[in-house]
Amino acid sequence: MTLEAELIAKYAQGVLDFSGLNLTELNFSNINLSGINLSQANLSVANLSGTNLSKADLTDAQMNVARLSGANLTDAILNGCSLNVANLVRADLSRAQLCGASLVRSELLRADLTRTNLSDANLSGADLREATLRQANLRGANLGEANLRGCFLREANLEMANLQGTELSASDLTGANLRNSELRQANLSLANLTGADLRGANLRWVDLRGANLTGADLSEAKLSGADLTGADLTNTNLTNTSFVHANLTQAKLIKVEWNGADLSGATLTGAKLYGTPRFGLKIEGIVCQWVDLSSSGDRSVIQNFTPDKAKEFFNLTPPSLQIIIDLPLSHQANFVLAGTYYKIAQEYPDLIQPPNIEISARRTILSFCIDNELTLFSTAFMAILPFQDATITKKNIYSMVDLMRAEVIHQQDMKSIKIVKQLIIFLSQAIRKAKIIEKTNKNLEAAQKLNFFKAPTRTILTNSHSQNLTLYDNPQFGKKFTNDDDISDESVYAIPDFPVIGDFIKEFYCIG
């Protein structure tokens, strides 16, 4: 009886322990060996194609150059197993344990490794094209020079993994954890990295052309020399990220957070920058001939630059809104104010962050940082709602925007018309939401009874070039009163002329 036949016969009789046996080059293809114990066995060059090894114990087994194509290894234990140059094409390794296993240059084409534990495994040079590694644990694994083209890695854990020079083009890494991973010179072109965690990752010289990084976290990541041509980084966190000499040509950088990012020597020609703050950046040697400021990235609002103008464009201060109240904030008013802004933020998320509050013996200053200058007017429209001066302040805001609309149409300045059109859209949305809030928010009713909200106010916008525009300055501001009931007066406040308003928006929209 051959060794294969003897093992199969004993297994059929219920014997499961065959640990430590030398089974090199033997043929166990297409048979059922579920639950077998082959730990420390030598199965090098063995034929196990199509074999059922589910729940088998192959701890520290030698399986180099073994044939396991189409094998069932679900829930198998292969910790410390050596599978170098093994053929695992279309094998099912879902939920298997491969901690510290060696799979150097193994073939795992279209293998199923769903929720497989490959922590600290060595997969260098392995072929994992179109493999499924959903929720797989690859923490600390070595995937250097491996081929994962078209691989499915949704929610996989690749924290501190080595992916240097790895082929990951067109792979799906949605929600994957790549924190502090090594990805130097990897190919991630056309990869889907939506919502991925890449904090602190080394992505130097990586190919990310056309990649989808929407909502990803790349804070503190290193992308020096990376190619992000046409990549989508919408809503991405790029805080303190390094883009030194990176190529961001026509990249979609809409509503990104990149305070502290280093763009020294980077190329941003054609980048889509709608709703993205342009302050707190390092821009020495930046290359940018034009950017797309349209809300949909359709090039309807293009800004061209000379080299000096590009530096000016990317070197701004945060735009802000200030509401100055001519009374100190009391505890009761503070409670009502917090509740009112909380309710407003539910309808108008741009006020989700509470204002910075400065209180002196005479006055209170509410300061709001604004991410998108296009929303300065609409945010002021919402922020003034709790105050008695809201009626005239809102009227002034509407009048200023309407004045801009009439003037830019008269002047036939197409670029300005598109910008003002965006202002009107945001303001119209704010007007609709304000009506809802005024009908349903009981906090506004409470505010109207307190002297703090009846006090004269001054509302000031500051653009990213540090220019101010006063929306309303109550003529009674700074005067002393003896009768609290007369504390507010909606006296006429003449809004600025168009040249003043136009200059204000021209600076922060780079019109002209």
Short mmCIF file of all heavy atoms in Angstrom, two decimals, residues 353-378:
data_model
loop_
_atom_site.label_atom_id
_atom_site.label_comp_id
_atom_site.label_asym_id
_atom_site.label_seq_id
_atom_site.Cartn_x
_atom_site.Cartn_y
_atom_site.Cartn_z
N GLN A 353 -19.52 73.88 14.07
CA GLN A 353 -18.50 74.22 15.06
C GLN A 353 -18.95 75.46 15.82
O GLN A 353 -19.31 76.47 15.21
CB GLN A 353 -17.16 74.49 14.38
CG GLN A 353 -16.54 73.28 13.72
CD GLN A 353 -16.18 72.20 14.72
OE1 GLN A 353 -15.83 72.49 15.86
NE2 GLN A 353 -16.27 70.95 14.30
N PRO A 354 -18.96 75.41 17.15
CA PRO A 354 -19.37 76.59 17.92
C PRO A 354 -18.38 77.74 17.73
O PRO A 354 -17.20 77.51 17.43
CB PRO A 354 -19.36 76.10 19.37
CG PRO A 354 -18.44 74.92 19.37
CD PRO A 354 -18.56 74.29 18.02
N PRO A 355 -18.83 78.96 17.89
CA PRO A 355 -17.94 80.10 17.70
C PRO A 355 -16.94 80.24 18.85
O PRO A 355 -17.19 79.76 19.97
CB PRO A 355 -18.90 81.29 17.68
CG PRO A 355 -20.06 80.84 18.52
CD PRO A 355 -20.20 79.37 18.25
N ASN A 356 -15.85 80.90 18.55
CA ASN A 356 -14.94 81.31 19.62
C ASN A 356 -15.56 82.54 20.30
O ASN A 356 -16.02 83.47 19.63
CB ASN A 356 -13.57 81.66 19.04
CG ASN A 356 -12.60 82.11 20.11
OD1 ASN A 356 -12.38 81.40 21.08
ND2 ASN A 356 -12.04 83.29 19.94
N ILE A 357 -15.61 82.54 21.62
CA ILE A 357 -16.29 83.61 22.34
C ILE A 357 -15.29 84.39 23.20
O ILE A 357 -14.57 83.80 24.02
CB ILE A 357 -17.42 83.06 23.23
CG1 ILE A 357 -18.42 82.26 22.38
CG2 ILE A 357 -18.13 84.19 23.98
CD1 ILE A 357 -19.53 81.60 23.19
N GLU A 358 -15.24 85.70 22.98
CA GLU A 358 -14.42 86.58 23.82
C GLU A 358 -15.36 87.52 24.58
O GLU A 358 -16.21 88.18 23.97
CB GLU A 358 -13.46 87.40 22.96
CG GLU A 358 -12.45 86.58 22.18
CD GLU A 358 -11.60 87.46 21.28
OE1 GLU A 358 -11.11 88.51 21.77
OE2 GLU A 358 -11.45 87.12 20.10
N ILE A 359 -15.19 87.58 25.89
CA ILE A 359 -16.09 88.40 26.71
C ILE A 359 -15.27 89.44 27.47
O ILE A 359 -14.31 89.10 28.18
CB ILE A 359 -16.88 87.54 27.71
CG1 ILE A 359 -17.58 86.38 26.98
CG2 ILE A 359 -17.90 88.38 28.47
CD1 ILE A 359 -18.17 85.34 27.93
N SER A 360 -15.64 90.68 27.31
CA SER A 360 -15.02 91.76 28.08
C SER A 360 -16.06 92.34 29.04
O SER A 360 -17.20 91.87 29.09
CB SER A 360 -14.49 92.85 27.15
OG SER A 360 -15.57 93.51 26.51
N ALA A 361 -15.68 93.38 29.77
CA ALA A 361 -16.62 93.98 30.72
C ALA A 361 -17.79 94.64 30.01
O ALA A 361 -18.87 94.81 30.60
CB ALA A 361 -15.89 95.02 31.58
N ARG A 362 -17.62 94.98 28.74
CA ARG A 362 -18.68 95.69 28.03
C ARG A 362 -19.26 94.90 26.85
O ARG A 362 -20.46 95.01 26.56
CB ARG A 362 -18.13 97.03 27.51
CG ARG A 362 -19.12 97.88 26.71
CD ARG A 362 -20.31 98.31 27.56
NE ARG A 362 -21.40 98.85 26.75
CZ ARG A 362 -21.56 100.14 26.49
NH1 ARG A 362 -20.68 101.02 26.95
NH2 ARG A 362 -22.59 100.54 25.77
N ARG A 363 -18.43 94.07 26.19
CA ARG A 363 -18.88 93.47 24.94
C ARG A 363 -18.58 91.97 24.87
O ARG A 363 -17.76 91.44 25.62
CB ARG A 363 -18.24 94.17 23.75
CG ARG A 363 -18.76 95.59 23.58
CD ARG A 363 -18.10 96.31 22.45
NE ARG A 363 -18.60 97.69 22.42
CZ ARG A 363 -17.87 98.74 22.16
NH1 ARG A 363 -16.60 98.62 21.89
NH2 ARG A 363 -18.42 99.95 22.15
N THR A 364 -19.22 91.34 23.89
CA THR A 364 -18.99 89.93 23.57
C THR A 364 -18.70 89.81 22.08
O THR A 364 -19.40 90.41 21.26
CB THR A 364 -20.22 89.06 23.91
OG1 THR A 364 -20.55 89.25 25.29
CG2 THR A 364 -19.96 87.59 23.63
N ILE A 365 -17.66 89.06 21.73
CA ILE A 365 -17.31 88.85 20.33
C ILE A 365 -17.46 87.37 20.00
O ILE A 365 -16.81 86.52 20.62
CB ILE A 365 -15.87 89.31 20.02
CG1 ILE A 365 -15.69 90.80 20.36
CG2 ILE A 365 -15.54 89.06 18.55
CD1 ILE A 365 -14.26 91.28 20.22
N LEU A 366 -18.32 87.07 19.03
CA LEU A 366 -18.47 85.71 18.52
C LEU A 366 -17.71 85.62 17.20
O LEU A 366 -18.00 86.36 16.26
CB LEU A 366 -19.95 85.37 18.28
CG LEU A 366 -20.92 85.59 19.44
CD1 LEU A 366 -22.34 85.20 19.00
CD2 LEU A 366 -20.50 84.78 20.66
N SER A 367 -16.72 84.73 17.13
CA SER A 367 -15.90 84.59 15.92
C SER A 367 -16.10 83.21 15.30
O SER A 367 -15.97 82.19 15.99
CB SER A 367 -14.41 84.79 16.25
OG SER A 367 -14.18 86.08 16.77
N PHE A 368 -16.42 83.19 14.03
CA PHE A 368 -16.65 81.95 13.29
C PHE A 368 -15.59 81.82 12.19
O PHE A 368 -15.43 82.73 11.38
CB PHE A 368 -18.03 81.94 12.62
CG PHE A 368 -19.18 82.11 13.57
CD1 PHE A 368 -19.56 83.38 14.01
CD2 PHE A 368 -19.90 81.01 14.02
CE1 PHE A 368 -20.63 83.56 14.87
CE2 PHE A 368 -20.97 81.17 14.88
CZ PHE A 368 -21.34 82.44 15.31
N CYS A 369 -14.87 80.70 12.15
CA CYS A 369 -13.96 80.43 11.04
C CYS A 369 -14.75 79.79 9.91
O CYS A 369 -15.54 78.87 10.14
CB CYS A 369 -12.83 79.49 11.48
SG CYS A 369 -11.58 80.34 12.48
N ILE A 370 -14.55 80.28 8.69
CA ILE A 370 -15.30 79.82 7.53
C ILE A 370 -14.36 79.06 6.59
O ILE A 370 -13.30 79.58 6.22
CB ILE A 370 -15.95 81.00 6.78
CG1 ILE A 370 -16.69 81.93 7.76
CG2 ILE A 370 -16.88 80.50 5.68
CD1 ILE A 370 -17.84 81.30 8.50
N ASP A 371 -14.73 77.86 6.20
CA ASP A 371 -13.90 77.06 5.28
C ASP A 371 -13.98 77.56 3.85
O ASP A 371 -12.99 77.53 3.12
CB ASP A 371 -14.32 75.59 5.33
CG ASP A 371 -13.96 74.93 6.65
OD1 ASP A 371 -12.99 75.39 7.29
OD2 ASP A 371 -14.65 73.97 7.03
N ASN A 372 -15.15 78.01 3.44
CA ASN A 372 -15.37 78.37 2.05
C ASN A 372 -15.86 79.82 1.98
O ASN A 372 -16.94 80.13 2.47
CB ASN A 372 -16.40 77.42 1.43
CG ASN A 372 -16.72 77.76 -0.01
OD1 ASN A 372 -16.08 78.61 -0.62
ND2 ASN A 372 -17.70 77.08 -0.56
N GLU A 373 -15.09 80.68 1.35
CA GLU A 373 -15.46 82.10 1.29
C GLU A 373 -16.80 82.33 0.59
O GLU A 373 -17.47 83.31 0.85
CB GLU A 373 -14.35 82.90 0.61
CG GLU A 373 -13.16 83.08 1.54
CD GLU A 373 -12.00 83.81 0.87
OE1 GLU A 373 -11.62 83.42 -0.24
OE2 GLU A 373 -11.48 84.75 1.48
N LEU A 374 -17.16 81.42 -0.27
CA LEU A 374 -18.45 81.56 -0.95
C LEU A 374 -19.62 81.53 0.03
O LEU A 374 -20.71 81.99 -0.27
CB LEU A 374 -18.63 80.44 -1.99
CG LEU A 374 -17.88 80.62 -3.31
CD1 LEU A 374 -17.88 79.31 -4.08
CD2 LEU A 374 -18.50 81.73 -4.15
N THR A 375 -19.39 80.97 1.21
CA THR A 375 -20.47 80.86 2.21
C THR A 375 -20.39 81.93 3.29
O THR A 375 -21.12 81.86 4.28
CB THR A 375 -20.46 79.46 2.87
OG1 THR A 375 -19.25 79.29 3.61
CG2 THR A 375 -20.59 78.35 1.83
N LEU A 376 -19.52 82.92 3.13
CA LEU A 376 -19.40 83.97 4.14
C LEU A 376 -20.74 84.69 4.36
O LEU A 376 -21.19 84.86 5.49
CB LEU A 376 -18.33 84.99 3.74
CG LEU A 376 -16.89 84.72 4.21
CD1 LEU A 376 -15.95 85.71 3.57
CD2 LEU A 376 -16.79 84.78 5.72
N PHE A 377 -21.37 85.12 3.27
CA PHE A 377 -22.63 85.86 3.39
C PHE A 377 -23.75 84.99 3.93
O PHE A 377 -24.52 85.41 4.80
CB PHE A 377 -23.02 86.45 2.03
CG PHE A 377 -22.14 87.58 1.58
CD1 PHE A 377 -21.01 87.35 0.80
CD2 PHE A 377 -22.44 88.90 1.93
CE1 PHE A 377 -20.20 88.38 0.39
CE2 PHE A 377 -21.62 89.95 1.52
CZ PHE A 377 -20.50 89.68 0.74
N SER A 378 -23.87 83.76 3.42
CA SER A 378 -24.94 82.88 3.87
C SER A 378 -24.75 82.44 5.32
O SER A 378 -25.72 82.31 6.07
CB SER A 378 -25.04 81.65 2.96
OG SER A 378 -23.80 80.99 2.85
#
